[in-house]
């Protein structure tokens, strides 16, 4: 059974067993605007919780995407190289960034669930 | 995910100024942000990409009321003004516009501006109409006043400034104000409208044909609504204004040009006439003349990247063997080209088209080629 958690930096992490799929939320893609380039890590890279995992470039600016939890990158989304705008069109689905093998499932407890994230968004106005 | 950096031209706690179109921007759903002390539209719901492409395909309406407008008036005002700028103002015919720069004593650029030779008064006083950058207007006006005590500089604070830019701009404006379709590029016309006078210049900051329209602030919203009612017109924010001018190879003050760059280094020599190059008589003339004679040590160039990753302002430019050459001053994705472009300063030895360089982005080299600008061909009105 999968569960989705969120960071205050607007990354989502969908966990299924010890594999997590990471991307940015719909709120994040709307804030960024048109995504024109995504830089993804090489599979095999170990990322630490809160460390840089990817860079997303919109027409406006470059923004870092942080790893919500620690783990090893096992796959990145090849679609984003060809069609970066997939991040805008379907951030929670086809616009995912990378998959991690989660090192410490306990780190997920620090993250927001769907209801908490929606409440968090309301505080941003 | 981190947010874009805050605007360096706005004081963090100062209240933001509003343009006469502020309520309209909000109504149109604009994403607003501080820029040069004003609360300005960065983009509308369509987004920067769509707004950019619309301005290239039809007509975009920009609110640039934050820019500084002023009249400079007095006896012999044109000749006095020439002591502050390298542009050939004496050769400028009435109602013609010149792009030029205020220079410091080292030839560094204090600001760039558009100066229109206005009709003189009956008493024989000469007059110029100036449009300067928003973030520099207080500085510029104080500078001109201090350097030209014999002239009167009057800031125009009750007028808005709208830009209508794109291949359909002339058709669109002609439907409201007839007779402007054949107005020459870089000329000014005063047009009666709703009991007021509009100052219509055929100029812009996108590389497209178009107009900038100065009008009383009280009329601005109604006029903007009339333009927006035309199906060819869509509102365009500062985000696409920046990507449009980048594609056109135009400088943004505080980024591509500042007090540390001269017009020669900035590749703006085209804006200095033969007479003024020879005669000098402007601040920093000896340095500018020396750079013209000997060539500058560095020059602003266009950069086309091999790959898809953009290089932005601040990225270091190095030679293929890693020697530092300069920095990117503007860069990003060019929506009309579907690929990234940049401009920046490089050592003269690497300033010729075809030179291969690397741009360091997040510690990694991105291969690029020095190319002529504009990146996208300009389509200014050149007559029928």
């Amino acid at each position: 059974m999968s569960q989705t958690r969120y960071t205050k930096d607007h990354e989502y992490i969908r966990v299924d067993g010890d594999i997590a799929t990471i991307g940015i939320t719909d709120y994040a893609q709307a804030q960024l605007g048109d995504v024109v380039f995504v830089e993804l890590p090489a599979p095999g890279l170990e990322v630490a919780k809160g460390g840089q995992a990817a860079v997303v470039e919109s027409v406006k600016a470059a923004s870092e995407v942080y790893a919500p939890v620690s783990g090893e990158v096992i796959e990145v989304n090849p679609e984003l190289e060809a069609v970066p705008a997939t991040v805008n069109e379907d951030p929670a689905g086809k616009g995912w960034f990378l998959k991690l093998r989660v090192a410490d499932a306990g780190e997920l407890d620090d993250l927001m669930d769907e209801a908490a994230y929606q409440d968090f968004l309301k505080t941003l106005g | 995910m981190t947010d874009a950096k805050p605007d360096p031209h706005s004081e963090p706690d100062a209240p933001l100024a509003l343009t006469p179109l502020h309520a309209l921007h909000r109504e149109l759903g604009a994403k607003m942000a501080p820029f040069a002390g004003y609360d300005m539209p960065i983009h509308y719901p369509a987004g920067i990409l769509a707004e950019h492409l619309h301005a290239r395909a039809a007509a975009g309406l920009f609110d640039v009321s934050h820019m500084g407008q002023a009249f400079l008036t007095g006896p012999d005002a044109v000749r006095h003004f020439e002591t502050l700028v390298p542009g050939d103002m004496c050769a400028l015919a009435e109602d013609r516009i010149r792009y030029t720069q205020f220079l410091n004593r080292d030839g560094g650029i204090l600001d760039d501006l558009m100066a229109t030779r206005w009709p003189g008064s009956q008493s024989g006083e000469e007059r110029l109409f100036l449009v300067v950058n928003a973030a520099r207007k207080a500085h510029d006006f104080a500078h001109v006043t201090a350097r030209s005590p014999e002239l009167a500089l009057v800031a125009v604070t009750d007028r808005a400034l709208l830009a209508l830019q794109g291949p359909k701009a002339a058709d669109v404006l002609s439907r409201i104000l007839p007779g402007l379709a054949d107005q020459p590029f870089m000329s000014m016309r005063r047009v009666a409208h709703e009991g007021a006078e509009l100052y219509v210049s055929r100029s812009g900051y996108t590389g497209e044909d178009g107009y900038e329209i100065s009008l009383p602030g009280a009329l601005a919203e109604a006029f903007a609504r009339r333009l927006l009612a035309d199906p060819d017109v869509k509102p365009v924010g500062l985000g696409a204004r920046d990507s449009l001018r980048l594609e056109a190879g135009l400088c943004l003050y505080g980024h591509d040009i500042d007090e540390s760059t001269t017009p020669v280094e900035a590749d703006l020599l085209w804006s200095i006439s033969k007479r003024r190059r020879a005669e000098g008589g402007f601040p920093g003339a000896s340095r500018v003349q020396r750079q013209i004679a000997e060539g500058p040590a560095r020059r602003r160039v266009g950069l086309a990247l091999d790959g898809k990753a953009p290089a932005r302002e601040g990225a270091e430019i190095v030679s293929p063997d890693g020697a530092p050459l300069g920095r990117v001053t503007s860069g990003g994705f060019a929506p009309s080209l579907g690929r990234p472009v940049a401009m920046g300063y490089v050592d003269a030895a690497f300033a010729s088209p075809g030179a291969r360089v690397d741009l360091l982005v997040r510690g990694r080299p991105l291969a690029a080629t020095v190319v002529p600008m504009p990146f996208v061909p300009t389509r200014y009105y050149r007559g029928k």
Side-chain angles (χ1 to χ4, degrees):
Chain A
M1 202 190 106
S2 73
Q3 57 161 335
T4 304
R5 299 270 175 157
Y6 300 87
T7 72
K8 289 191 172 177
D9 295 317
H10 308 287
E11 291 97 7
Y12 67 79
I13 175 166
R14 195 163 51 240
V15 186
D16 198 351
D18 67 342
I19 304 302
T21 303
I22 292 162
I24 65 170
T25 66
D26 186 58
Y27 175 87
Q29 71 76 21
Q31 290 293 308
L32 281 173
D34 308 294
V35 172
V36 295
F37 179 76
V38 181
E39 183 179 293
L40 295 167
L45 185 78
E46 296 278 351
V47 294
K49 176 184 169 77
Q52 182 186 313
V55 177
V56 57
E57 303 248 12
S58 69
V59 183
K60 266 188 285 190
S63 301
E64 296 183 337
V65 177
Y66 302 112
V69 299
S70 307
E72 179 195 350
V73 177
I74 56 167
E75 193 182 345
V76 297
N77 185 354
E79 174 79 4
L80 300 190
E81 188 180 348
V83 191
T86 310
V87 176
N88 297 115
E89 287 150 18
D90 189 11
K94 287 181 191 157
W96 62 277
F97 279 47
L98 54 109
K99 293 184 183 180
L100 281 186
R101 191 181 313 281
V102 177
D104 174 6
E107 288 179 345
L108 291 163
D109 298 340
D110 304 338
L111 305 176
M112 291 176 277
D113 64 13
E114 176 76 33
Y117 181 64
Q118 291 304 326
D119 287 343
F120 172 63
L121 288 183
K122 284 175 199 153
T123 69
L124 302 179
Chain B
M1 205 191 85
T2 46
D3 289 334
K5 59 188 177 220
D7 167 39
H9 300 301
S10 292
E11 296 290 327
D13 296 318
L16 292 173
L18 309 181
T19 76
L21 296 186
H22 191 262
L24 179 60
H25 299 315
R26 300 294 290 268
E27 181 185 316
L28 292 169
K31 162 91 174 168
M32 308 293 290
F35 183 85
Y38 285 77
D39 193 32
M40 295 299 290
I42 303 305
H43 62 82
Y44 298 86
I48 294 174
L49 210 55
E51 291 168 24
H52 178 116
L53 296 173
H54 186 83
R56 290 263 183 260
L61 178 66
F62 306 71
D63 179 11
V64 289
S65 303
H66 58 315
M67 297 189 77
Q69 306 177 56
F71 282 104
L72 185 63
T73 309
D76 226 5
V78 172
R79 195 167 294 278
H80 278 296
F81 189 66
E82 272 202 351
T83 66
L84 303 180
V85 300
D88 196 330
M89 309 313 298
C90 290
L92 198 58
E94 195 171 286
D95 288 331
R96 293 289 165 150
I97 306 169
R98 192 77 88 206
Y99 168 79
T100 190
Q101 309 87 30
F102 289 121
L103 300 184
N104 68 22
R105 65 180 66 175
D106 298 321
I109 300 172
L110 295 167
D111 197 9
D112 62 344
L113 70 149
M114 292 287 202
T116 304
R117 176 132 188 199
W118 212 256
S121 71
Q122 290 177 345
S123 59
E125 291 193 321
E126 293 175 346
R127 176 173 272 198
L128 292 157
F129 177 62
L130 311 179
V131 177
V132 306
N133 281 301
R136 297 297 286 170
K137 62 185 171 187
H139 171 277
D140 290 349
F141 296 166
H143 172 72
V144 173
T145 302
R147 294 289 301 264
S148 306
E150 57 281 273
L151 305 180
L153 183 126
V154 179
V156 177
T157 55
D158 58 350
R159 294 180 83 92
L161 190 63
L162 309 182
L164 183 69
Q165 300 279 299
K168 295 197 173 164
D171 289 346
V172 167
L173 195 60
S174 298
R175 285 171 212 147
I176 300 176
L177 304 173
L180 296 175
D182 62 352
Q183 179 179 350
F185 181 56
M186 293 296 269
S187 75
M188 174 69 72
R189 287 194 183 164
R190 283 163 299 280
V191 179
H193 178 73
E194 310 261 327
E197 200 169 50
L198 274 49
Y199 309 154
V200 180
S201 69
R202 194 142 200 184
S203 63
Y205 193 47
T206 60
E208 295 295 327
D209 183 21
Y211 303 84
E212 291 192 352
I213 303 153
S214 168
L215 75 172
L219 299 182
E221 185 178 320
F223 194 76
R225 283 185 192 277
R226 277 190 73 179
L227 290 170
L228 289 169
D230 191 306
D232 284 331
V233 180
K234 288 197 164 70
V236 182
L238 292 185
R241 183 169 162 84
D242 190 48
S243 53
L244 287 159
R245 70 91 198 166
L246 173 62
E247 287 185 344
L250 299 169
C251 292
L252 176 59
Y253 192 82
H255 301 262
D256 309 299
I257 49 176
D258 60 26
E259 287 196 56
S260 75
T261 61
T262 71
V264 185
E265 293 165 356
D267 202 20
L268 298 173
L269 196 51
W270 58 268
S271 69
I272 309 179
S273 71
K274 200 172 154 187
R275 174 181 71 84
R276 299 231 61 201
R277 292 181 202 187
E279 289 179 7
F282 53 85
S286 60
R287 180 159 176 233
V288 168
Q289 287 169 323
R290 191 169 64 246
Q291 288 188 342
I292 292 170
E294 299 172 5
R298 59 172 187 157
R299 219 165 72 213
R300 182 176 65 97
V301 297
L303 298 161
L305 289 90
D306 290 4
K308 287 186 173 176
R312 299 186 188 268
E313 181 179 1
E316 199 178 345
I317 307 171
V318 301
S319 70
D321 52 12
L325 301 175
R327 282 192 188 276
V328 169
T329 52
S330 287
F333 182 77
S336 307
L337 303 172
R339 59 181 176 80
V341 298
M343 59 172 88
Y345 286 81
V346 295
D347 280 6
F350 285 81
S352 298
R356 293 285 289 168
V357 298
D358 284 325
L359 314 182
L360 300 185
V361 174
R362 296 183 284 276
R364 282 202 296 277
L366 303 180
T369 304
V370 172
V371 295
M373 289 188 282
F375 298 103
V376 172
T378 55
R379 295 193 286 183
Y380 302 128
Y381 179 70
R382 294 298 183 193
K384 288 270 180 329

